[in-house]
Amino acid sequence: MLQACLNGGLSKSTHPGVPMSASELACDAVAVRAAGAEELHIHVRAEDGAETLEPSALAKTIQAIRRAVPGMPIGVGTGAWIMPGGRRRHRHIRDWTEKPDYASVNLGEADAPEVIDLLTIGGIDVEAGLWNSQDAERFVAEIDFKKCLRVLVEMTSGNGEEALREAHQVFSILRRADCALPVLLHGEAGSVWPCVREAWRLDLSTRIGFEDGVHLPNGAVAANNADLVRAAIQLRG
């Protein structure tokens, strides 16, 4: 499965094509679906461009995307940095009316088990985000695998070799715990394309998009998210 991560916490100062508003995200969703992406990962924005989990902003964005790409699964980030931050954002998650299909939860954050429970109670699937082997150890020790849709092995190193080394340590921890959940492997900046290639080699899911990096495999800056999606599909062969 190829997921398109459209914007993350980036602004147009990083790349003018970063989609921010609900309408921009909806237009980008159409483009990446046509390019071959199967699912979406977005960071909802407030009117001022800041990341938000506020229910009305999330509903507006999810509705716009669903009108544009009916049936395409939509996931959102729930990072602890998103205002109002920390456990105060739990109220927003609890009050969502228009719900995403799934949401990612970073196991490196103190309240990760609580956020997973909030999402599960709300009928929202969970992507468990593991940035390193410490996150993996916490995941297998504290989280009921049945509460999760998949594991995100999210390598934050910009060095491809370091990222793949860490990813395989995470894979080993998951195997030892008999975790049979689907895995999505992705990198960041310089490790984006090594992780995409390794995901395809191992028959895993992966993701691509401006959130993770703006460069194509040849080093050129992508014109848009759809360019990145097409490049990832070409690597799959």
Side-chain angles (χ1 to χ4, degrees):
M1 182 273 291
L2 180 60
Q3 187 182 90
C5 52
L6 301 183
N7 59 349
L10 303 183
S11 69
K12 291 185 185 295
S13 64
T14 302
H15 191 294
V18 172
M20 304 281 286
S21 67
S23 60
E24 288 175 341
L25 284 162
C27 287
D28 222 32
V30 172
V32 297
R33 182 183 229 181
E38 299 161 77
E39 297 189 3
L40 298 171
H41 172 83
I42 63 168
H43 286 230
V44 175
R45 303 305 183 89
E47 290 297 326
D48 64 359
E51 294 177 72
T52 184
L53 298 174
E54 193 276 321
S56 63
L58 186 133
K60 178 181 178 181
T61 301
I62 296 291
Q63 288 167 0
I65 295 172
R66 285 190 171 138
R67 285 194 298 269
V69 286
M72 192 174 192
I74 304 167
V76 301
T78 63
W81 62 85
I82 299 175
M83 294 299 292
R87 288 180 171 83
R88 288 176 296 175
R89 75 198 191 289
H90 294 190
R91 175 175 53 83
H92 283 168
I93 295 172
R94 194 178 294 114
D95 291 346
W96 286 347
T97 52
E98 186 75 28
K99 298 177 182 180
D101 297 285
Y102 52 87
S104 59
V105 180
N106 303 317
L107 264 292
E109 295 173 354
D111 65 343
E114 298 164 65
V115 175
I116 288 172
D117 284 344
L118 278 173
L119 294 168
T120 301
I121 291 168
I124 301 164
D125 284 332
V126 173
E127 295 181 314
L130 314 181
W131 292 12
N132 49 48
S133 54
Q134 290 77 23
D135 289 353
E137 295 286 8
R138 184 187 187 197
F139 175 67
V140 301
E142 298 183 23
I143 306 301
D144 181 351
F145 300 159
K146 291 192 292 292
K147 293 181 178 180
C148 300
L149 171 68
R150 66 172 67 98
V151 175
L152 304 185
V153 179
E154 306 191 77
M155 296 296 94
T156 58
S157 172
N159 179 285
E161 290 184 2
E162 290 179 2
L164 293 181
R165 224 173 9 251
E166 187 74 21
H168 280 277
Q169 290 176 6
V170 171
F171 297 155
S172 179
I173 292 166
L174 295 174
R175 283 194 300 271
R176 288 200 303 270
D178 293 324
C179 177
L181 288 170
V183 172
L184 186 157
L185 169 65
H186 72 93
E188 184 174 300
S191 68
V192 165
W193 296 109
C195 285
V196 168
R197 290 185 178 96
E198 186 69 351
W200 292 151
R201 187 183 75 82
L202 297 174
D203 198 26
L204 303 176
S205 295
T206 190
R207 80 178 199 186
I208 197 71
F210 283 154
E211 177 173 354
D212 291 341
V214 301
H215 292 91
L216 295 165
N218 65 6
V221 176
N224 47 48
N225 277 309
D227 271 358
L228 293 167
V229 169
R230 282 188 287 269
I233 288 173
Q234 286 174 357
L235 289 179
R236 180 165 55 185

